[in-house]
């Protein structure tokens, strides 16, 4: 079982819609979870991190963590074409999933 | 601005010809990581330094070596590149006690 698993997509949503990205992890003892955005040919950049169960909101982005079910998700509200990228989930800060490729269509 | 700088951005080498990629940082972070990322795949951790302490991932091939002569610099040496080593190589830094990684722009390696 991979340490971090994500649906590779691609996920396509229309502009203005909510994009929902999911990630599951295998180590029940994991304490920290991160979402990075990676544009094609570029390096990852941090969007959000979450340590506690529940929701954490930052602008149009909401991270959701459920430790009992071992999943973490990222919601992007009012999706914009500029949000089109690959979104990487990271657990324990250094272990990455393969990423979900998101396309937001105008 | 404080940052993580990788050189070269693009490197073309021949099969079996050694390559060195460099990473420098002005953040004074004591942890430095090297990742390999192939197309549509997760960044794969190769090794990291905690200060001068070197930590190799169990599945990192012997063909990959690293040096960290001081806090600011870290090098990735690929002794005999194969076609399968063509990838983007990412350097990242982290301050101890913090969890967030700061990435460089990456070095894209092509092996002919």
């Amino acid at each position: 079982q991979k340490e971090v698993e994500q649906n590779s997509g691609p996920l396509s949503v229309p502009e203005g819609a909510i994009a929902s990205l999911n990630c599951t992890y295998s180590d029940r003892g994991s304490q920290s979870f991160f979402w990075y955005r990676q544009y094609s040919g570029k390096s990852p950049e941090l969007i959000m991190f979450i340590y506690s169960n529940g929701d954490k909101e930052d602008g149009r982005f909401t991270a959701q963590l459920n430790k009992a079910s071992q999943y973490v998700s990222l919601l992007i509200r009012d999706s914009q074409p500029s949000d089109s990228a690959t979104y990487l989930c990271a657990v324990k800060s250094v272990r990455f999933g393969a990423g979900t490729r998101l396309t937001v269509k105008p | 601005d404080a940052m993580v700088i990788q050189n070269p951005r693009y490197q073309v080498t021949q099969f079996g010809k050694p390559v060195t990629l460099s990473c420098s940082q002005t953040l004074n972070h004591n942890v430095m990581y090297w990742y390999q990322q192939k197309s549509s795949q997760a960044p794969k951790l190769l090794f990291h330094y905690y200060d001068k302490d070197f930590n190799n991932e169990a599945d990192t091939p012997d063909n990959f070596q690293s040096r960290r002569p001081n806090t600011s610099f870290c090098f990735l040496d690929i002794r005999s590149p194969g076609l399968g080593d063509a990838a983007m190589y990412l350097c990242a830094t982290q301050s101890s006690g913090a969890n967030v990684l700061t990435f460089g722009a990456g070095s894209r390696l092509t092996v002919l």
Side-chain angles (χ1 to χ4, degrees):
Chain A
Q1 183 184 9
K2 291 182 180 178
E3 197 162 353
V4 184
E5 298 214 47
Q6 295 182 253
N7 185 339
S8 62
L11 173 66
S12 181
V13 301
E15 183 175 356
I18 296 175
S20 177
L21 307 162
N22 299 309
C23 171
T24 59
Y25 58 95
S26 60
D27 183 355
R28 188 170 285 277
S30 299
Q31 298 292 322
S32 54
F33 307 87
F34 302 80
W35 283 101
Y36 286 80
R37 177 175 60 200
Q38 186 174 29
Y39 292 112
S40 181
K42 304 294 185 182
S43 58
E45 55 180 336
L46 180 71
I47 298 175
M48 292 188 70
F49 59 87
I50 186 167
Y51 299 150
S52 304
N53 268 336
D55 295 359
K56 179 181 179 181
E57 189 173 314
D58 184 0
R60 295 187 296 113
F61 299 93
T62 299
Q64 298 175 319
L65 174 60
N66 184 321
K67 289 187 177 181
S69 301
Q70 293 177 243
Y71 82 78
V72 57
S73 62
L74 179 70
L75 301 179
I76 306 175
R77 290 182 301 280
D78 188 24
S79 296
Q80 301 296 309
S82 59
D83 295 326
S84 299
T86 296
Y87 289 80
L88 300 167
C89 172
V91 174
K92 292 184 286 190
S93 80
V94 298
R95 308 289 177 188
F96 286 86
T100 299
R101 186 157 57 91
L102 172 68
T103 300
V104 180
K105 295 185 176 181
Chain B
D1 288 341
M3 58 179 59
V4 181
I5 299 172
Q6 292 188 242
N7 282 301
R9 292 292 313 282
Y10 302 92
Q11 175 73 58
V12 180
T13 191
Q14 292 180 329
F15 184 95
K17 188 173 181 182
V19 160
T20 294
L21 307 177
S22 75
C23 178
S24 65
Q25 55 130 341
T26 59
L27 298 161
N28 205 34
H29 286 172
N30 54 344
V31 191
M32 295 186 77
Y33 299 88
W34 279 105
Y35 287 88
Q36 178 194 63
Q37 187 178 26
K38 297 183 179 180
S39 181
S40 301
Q41 294 185 22
K44 178 181 180 299
L45 183 61
L46 296 174
F47 25 61
H48 74 276
Y49 277 92
Y50 192 107
D51 293 321
K52 287 182 180 285
D53 292 334
F54 176 72
N55 299 272
N56 198 31
E57 292 296 300
D59 58 352
T60 298
D62 292 340
N63 197 27
F64 292 85
Q65 304 287 319
S66 185
R67 298 169 283 134
R68 189 179 186 186
N70 53 53
T71 301
S72 301
F73 284 88
C74 195
F75 300 95
L76 170 61
D77 301 308
I78 308 175
R79 292 191 298 187
S80 182
L83 298 178
D85 297 327
M88 174 78 87
Y89 290 88
L90 296 165
C91 173
T93 70
Q94 182 182 47
S95 177
S96 63
N99 283 308
V100 177
L101 299 180
T102 302
F103 282 90
S107 293
R108 181 165 294 282
L109 176 66
T110 300
V111 182
L112 301 177

